[in-house]
Amino acid sequence: QVQLVESGGGLVQPGGSLRLSCAASGSRFSIVAMGWYRQAPGKQRELVARTTRSGFTNYADYVKGRFTISRDNAKNTVYLQMDSLKPEDSAVYYCNFEGVVSNHWGQGTQVTVSS
């Protein structure tokens, strides 16, 4: 069984920064890609950023230039550096690890951007 443990969410003022982390543990599996998604109240879960093991990275248009996804393959960990945060970035953020035949989600961490 695979467990994804997220950390780093919280309350921040507009313009501030947060760094999310997500580490995988448990059963070993071949990771194809790692990503971050978010879900605001009343909205569907949406992609924020995704990076493949081969190095391809893509971002949602609304976070380009503000968020940076990175990973440590040796530690099976993915990070999301979020800068210049806006109130509309408030949501529950979920990490996702894609395997060849499996898909795993973290428990979610709340990010609230408010003054």
Side-chain angles (χ1 to χ4, degrees):
Q1 191 173 359
V2 176
Q3 295 86 35
L4 302 186
V5 178
E6 301 175 15
S7 61
L11 173 64
V12 64
Q13 292 187 343
S17 298
L18 284 174
R19 187 183 192 226
L20 306 182
S21 300
C22 176
S25 62
S27 300
R28 301 185 66 172
F29 66 104
S30 180
I31 298 172
V32 174
M34 306 173 186
W36 289 94
Y37 293 72
R38 70 186 188 187
Q39 187 168 18
K43 296 187 177 181
Q44 290 188 332
R45 190 173 299 187
E46 58 187 9
L47 173 70
V48 176
R50 179 177 178 270
T51 180
T52 68
R53 197 169 186 90
S54 61
F56 176 78
T57 300
N58 63 299
Y59 295 91
D61 287 342
Y62 46 79
V63 304
K64 284 181 179 177
R66 301 189 297 123
F67 291 11
T68 303
I69 189 171
S70 61
R71 68 191 187 279
D72 185 331
N73 291 334
K75 295 181 179 180
N76 286 341
T77 300
V78 63
Y79 306 94
L80 185 68
Q81 177 65 42
M82 304 186 292
D83 299 318
S84 302
L85 281 161
K86 305 175 182 180
E88 51 263 43
D89 293 319
S90 297
V92 178
Y93 284 71
Y94 298 89
C95 64
N96 173 263
F97 278 45
E98 298 174 36
V100 176
V101 294
S102 61
N103 198 27
H104 307 278
W105 292 91
Q107 80 282 3
T109 185
Q110 178 69 47
V111 171
T112 302
V113 185
S114 176
S115 55

